[in-house]
Amino acid sequence: MAETIPILEGRDLVQHYKVAGNRTVQAVDGVSLTLHEGETLALVGESGCGKSTLSRLMMCLESPTSGQVLLEGKELTALRPAALREHRQRLQMVFQDPYASLDPRMSAVEIVREPLDNYGIGARQDRNEMALSLIRRVALSPDYANRYPHELSGGQRQRLGIARALALRPRVLIADEPVSALDVSIQAQVINLLADIQAEQRLAILFVSHDIGIVAHLSERVAVMYLGRIVESGPTAAVLDNPRHPYAQALLDAVPVHHPRLRRRRTLVAGDLPSPVNPPSGCRFHPRCPLAVERCRSEVPALRSLSGGRQIACHLVSDSNN
Amino acid sequence: MTAPVLQVENLGVSFGVEPNALHAVREVSFSLSAGETLCLVGESGSGKSVTALALLNLLPPRSARISASRLALEGRSLLGLGERELSHIRGKAISMIFQDPMSSLNPALTVGYQLAEAVRLHGPVSAAAARRDALAILDKVRIPDAARRLDEYPHQLSGGMRQRVMIAMALACRPRVLIADEPTTALDVTVQAQILELIGDLKADFGTAVLFITHDLGVVAEIADRVAVMYAGRIVEEGEVSQIFDDPAHGYTHGLLSTLAVANRHAQRLPEIPGSTPRILGADMGCSFAPRCAFAEPQCRTMELHMAEIAPGHVTRCRRAAIVRGAKSEAGHLAHG
């Protein structure tokens, strides 16, 4: 895995937005990540940590302040819009709100057909059939083909969003909280569908989520973000079972138990996420960190590699096998 | 068990006119004791929020029809009370907090003003005393720098802090019953953990009974004493939290527990519940969940069902309870291991 070219790579991405009063929101601040064929990388963190901005950067929906995005080794961030368009079809997105991301004036089959028309895929007269087969693929009945989004349930809408994303046979799917708006009994259906499609098409998935349970189930690797930076990453089971960064520990400790017998008194992290407008100096977690020392206030911890494919950005963690 | 603080028998809520009326809540009965947390669990459209709003008569009177054979607070019937009498009970004896604190706070008034208002509405207190009370309550819900926050507006607070203000306001009059409708759903997990702990501590301090509405089984596992599972407007199973998690006795409860992703992290596929939640039109026979149920047989759709007690305090509206109880739930299994 280490030697192959990643299918999608972000290098030192920075996204700063100017806001009123000549201030800057440091939404993403020096993030690198790689995604390989057939792999699911989960991006977890709380609201305001920059995970959605990062996924939009990886999707080239906005240009970064600095840094690069590479698709199969080709730098997308250097391309003009017309050239970028050619590559975009390999990179598709599924959104959180399946209602807001579907045109209410288009029927299901028109929604799935639109990307085929846009990219001139197949003969014109075959495209309806292609759209219908995609609709069947996401386990929607073809009876729904002529219905409009408002006539569909939340789960059905999200299936439609997935069918549209698959229409151009992408190599990478970026899914930003794709099931968090759905009921629990429906979430499992959509998660299983994504897993099946991934296995079938060797898709790489960047899965943005705050739901640790789903991340644990679906992803091979996980990256934990805090205030615009990755604080810890590595194989999902290793990170979730034994988080090393104090923030990752606090985040995982706060996840509700799944059985009343496992209740415990927690050591809760104090306070709220600080504003990304004026983030803390040094390690951005230091004002809330129970272990912080002077160095954490002044010096930004670099993301260092530990054994076992793990990376961590903390001055206080050394590589050991515990 | 002490005498129940809140008793609800055969609550029904419908919207619209027959034969097209939507029966959002049907035959809902439960009781709540002092210091107890009852979690009302269900998915969107199951009727859990409508149940809560009906208890306080907060549904639009033109469209909602509420019926009940008994609705009593500390033995006193709330049925047939006028709006004036009810408004004395609301906020004082029964308080409510909602999912979105921003839409329940007035953006044009300071936090201190709104808290003091809640204090003064239910007792003759001077403005200065009300402000002192407001400050004390903000401290109680662990808002840092409370004195400064009193003079701030809701938009200046974070989501977690706004929800603390709502809780402070709800507890200002030391209510007997707190109804919390998805109070942590919009919050991040670290903030959710803080709020859940806060509600637990306040319950212990004041002996408040809590009716906690949620769709999140993890939250239920954290805080519930008792659990009532709702589906398509009805309570389908109710019991102690350990009974529900260890010994689910309804096909829907069993299905919900097995979809808990945390419990299935090493499974190849997540167990699914097929189909989607139904719309609840006219009165129906049989079990509303039968079309999606892994344990159903044809009679489930047609035979009339009643709540049956299968263990002390554990009731279910499921013909196949014995079969469901025989099938081990994954969540319970893992917690033992």
Side-chain angles (χ1 to χ4, degrees):
Chain A
M1 177 172 114
E3 298 308 314
T4 56
I5 299 180
I7 201 156
L8 185 67
E9 183 178 4
R11 283 188 194 159
D12 206 17
L13 287 167
V14 174
Q15 185 69 315
H16 290 179
Y17 301 106
K18 291 262 183 279
V19 290
N22 203 21
R23 296 177 307 170
T24 309
V25 175
Q26 303 183 13
V28 171
D29 202 49
V31 169
S32 300
L33 46 83
T34 57
L35 194 59
H36 293 264
E37 186 179 38
E39 177 191 51
T40 301
L41 169 66
L43 207 53
V44 301
E46 299 181 279
S47 38
C49 74
K51 58 191 194 300
S52 287
T53 301
L54 180 59
S55 65
R56 292 172 60 83
L57 290 176
M58 297 297 284
M59 207 38 228
C60 295
L61 287 176
E62 34 189 278
S63 322
T65 307
S66 67
Q68 302 157 324
V69 175
L70 297 91
L71 182 69
E72 295 173 301
K74 174 105 184 155
E75 190 188 338
L76 299 183
T77 29
L79 295 177
R80 292 167 176 281
L84 178 59
R85 189 185 142 84
E86 277 313 300
H87 295 273
R88 261 257 172 72
Q89 55 179 305
R90 330 213 53 183
L91 197 57
Q92 292 289 311
M93 189 149 183
V94 177
F95 298 90
Q96 171 170 4
D97 183 341
Y99 197 63
S101 53
L102 300 174
D103 188 331
R105 295 166 304 177
M106 291 168 82
S107 68
V109 68
E110 287 168 344
I111 285 169
V112 179
R113 186 193 154 117
E114 191 182 27
L116 300 173
D117 288 334
N118 281 343
Y119 280 89
I121 309 283
R124 187 183 301 264
Q125 64 274 17
D126 297 337
R127 287 183 200 145
N128 263 352
E129 196 40 56
M130 293 166 74
L132 282 174
S133 86
L134 285 159
I135 286 174
R136 276 191 293 268
R137 177 63 201 90
V138 296
L140 265 185
S141 156
D143 301 345
Y144 292 111
N146 293 316
R147 298 210 193 170
Y148 289 84
H150 75 271
E151 298 175 281
L152 304 176
S153 70
Q156 289 167 340
R157 284 180 206 145
Q158 199 54 294
R159 288 171 191 276
L160 197 58
I162 293 170
R164 177 180 60 183
L166 294 176
L168 298 174
R169 301 200 62 85
R171 303 293 310 281
V172 181
L173 202 60
I174 296 182
D176 188 357
E177 303 267 12
V179 298
S180 56
L182 305 178
D183 272 324
V184 274
S185 74
I186 308 301
Q187 286 184 356
Q189 298 173 6
V190 174
I191 292 292
N192 285 340
L193 175 67
L194 278 175
D196 290 346
I197 288 168
Q198 173 175 43
E200 221 171 84
Q201 307 189 359
R202 300 282 299 148
L203 265 179
I205 301 183
L206 181 63
F207 190 85
V208 181
S209 181
H210 68 279
D211 187 325
I212 303 294
I214 289 174
V215 165
H217 175 78
L218 194 71
S219 69
E220 285 94 43
R221 284 193 302 136
V222 62
V224 182
M225 281 189 83
Y226 184 79
L227 269 188
R229 294 187 185 141
I230 289 175
V231 295
E232 180 163 2
S233 70
T236 301
V239 173
L240 297 188
D241 290 342
N242 181 20
R244 303 288 302 277
H245 193 284
Y247 173 68
Q249 290 173 348
L251 180 69
L252 289 165
D253 185 54
V255 173
V257 297
H258 58 84
H259 195 284
R261 219 183 333 278
L262 305 173
R263 277 180 201 174
R264 62 187 189 275
R265 194 79 189 181
R266 296 183 155 87
T267 44
L268 294 171
V269 57
D272 296 308
L273 199 72
S275 159
V277 172
N278 198 358
S281 62
C283 172
R284 290 183 169 180
F285 188 58
H286 86 254
R288 303 172 73 192
C289 182
L291 308 173
V293 297
E294 192 49 45
R295 185 180 176 202
C296 304
R297 276 176 262 280
S298 53
E299 191 183 327
V300 178
L303 194 63
R304 293 176 292 124
S305 291
L306 306 182
S307 57
R310 300 182 66 167
Q311 292 185 303
I312 190 161
C314 178
H315 293 309
L316 303 171
V317 173
S318 60
D319 201 355
S320 62
N321 289 325
N322 60 11
Chain B
M1 268 291 155
T2 47
V5 177
L6 184 68
Q7 267 180 298
V8 179
E9 276 169 33
N10 269 319
L11 179 71
V13 182
S14 64
F15 297 92
V17 182
E18 299 290 357
N20 296 316
L22 180 82
H23 294 260
V25 173
R26 300 179 285 186
E27 301 158 46
V28 161
S29 303
F30 60 85
S31 68
L32 197 57
S33 305
E36 181 183 57
T37 299
L38 172 68
C39 277
L40 208 52
V41 198
E43 298 179 277
S44 34
S46 62
K48 53 197 197 302
S49 292
V50 172
T51 299
L53 293 170
L55 295 178
L56 291 175
N57 201 20
L58 287 172
L59 290 163
R62 282 166 186 275
S63 58
R65 275 181 298 115
I66 304 174
S67 62
S69 51
R70 184 172 167 78
L71 184 57
L73 178 74
E74 297 186 306
R76 179 189 175 205
S77 176
L78 302 180
L79 291 170
L81 287 189
E83 187 54 32
R84 254 181 83 89
E85 291 155 298
L86 266 177
S87 70
H88 280 292
I89 287 169
R90 279 187 218 125
K92 182 159 191 179
I94 307 180
S95 286
M96 188 156 179
I97 51 180
F98 300 90
Q99 176 172 346
D100 178 5
M102 198 56 196
S103 60
S104 328
L105 290 167
N106 188 332
L109 300 173
T110 63
V111 166
Y113 183 94
Q114 296 184 62
L115 271 170
E117 189 181 30
V119 174
R120 298 188 76 186
L121 267 180
H122 294 287
V125 190
S126 74
R131 193 180 158 90
R132 268 201 310 279
D133 281 358
L135 184 59
I137 306 164
L138 276 191
D139 267 333
K140 187 88 195 153
V141 294
R142 295 175 215 141
I143 287 200
D145 210 355
R148 182 165 64 87
R149 297 295 180 190
L150 275 183
D151 297 315
E152 290 191 344
Y153 292 86
H155 78 270
Q156 293 171 289
L157 309 181
S158 69
M161 249 190 291
R162 283 181 210 139
Q163 198 57 284
R164 283 164 198 263
V165 169
M166 284 303 300
I167 294 172
M169 212 177 276
L171 294 172
C173 295
R174 304 200 167 201
R176 308 296 302 141
V177 178
L178 175 68
I179 300 177
D181 187 358
E182 306 253 12
T184 60
T185 303
L187 304 175
D188 281 314
V189 280
T190 57
V191 183
Q192 166 172 284
Q194 296 167 5
I195 297 288
L196 292 181
E197 189 182 273
L198 177 66
I199 292 176
D201 289 351
L202 294 171
K203 185 187 79 164
D205 289 355
F206 296 136
T208 309
V210 180
L211 179 64
F212 196 105
I213 296 169
T214 182
H215 69 279
D216 186 334
L217 287 168
V219 170
V220 176
E222 287 286 344
I223 61 160
D225 297 313
R226 296 182 59 76
V227 182
V229 181
M230 283 192 84
Y231 187 79
R234 287 199 176 96
I235 292 180
V236 295
E237 181 171 3
E238 194 199 329
E240 304 281 331
V241 64
S242 55
Q243 290 171 328
I244 297 291
F245 276 80
D246 286 336
D247 187 19
H250 191 285
Y252 179 57
T253 315
H254 186 278
L256 270 187
L257 286 170
S258 62
T259 59
L260 258 185
V262 219
N264 289 291
R265 56 191 286 182
H266 303 299
Q268 283 293 307
R269 291 174 68 77
L270 289 176
E272 296 179 9
I273 301 179
S276 52
T277 45
R279 273 175 64 80
I280 321 156
L281 291 165
D284 57 344
M285 300 287 276
C287 172
S288 312
F289 184 63
R292 304 175 69 191
C293 181
F295 302 94
E297 42 181 27
Q299 298 93 303
C300 291
R301 301 186 185 218
T302 52
M303 279 179 66
E304 199 178 339
L305 286 169
H306 299 285
M307 272 291 190
E309 186 166 52
I310 52 164
H314 189 181
V315 292
T316 177
R317 188 189 288 275
C318 182
R319 295 179 56 249
R320 306 279 285 162
I323 314 291
V324 177
R325 294 174 79 189
K328 261 264 161 259
S329 118
E330 191 72 14
H333 184 66
L334 279 182
H336 286 292

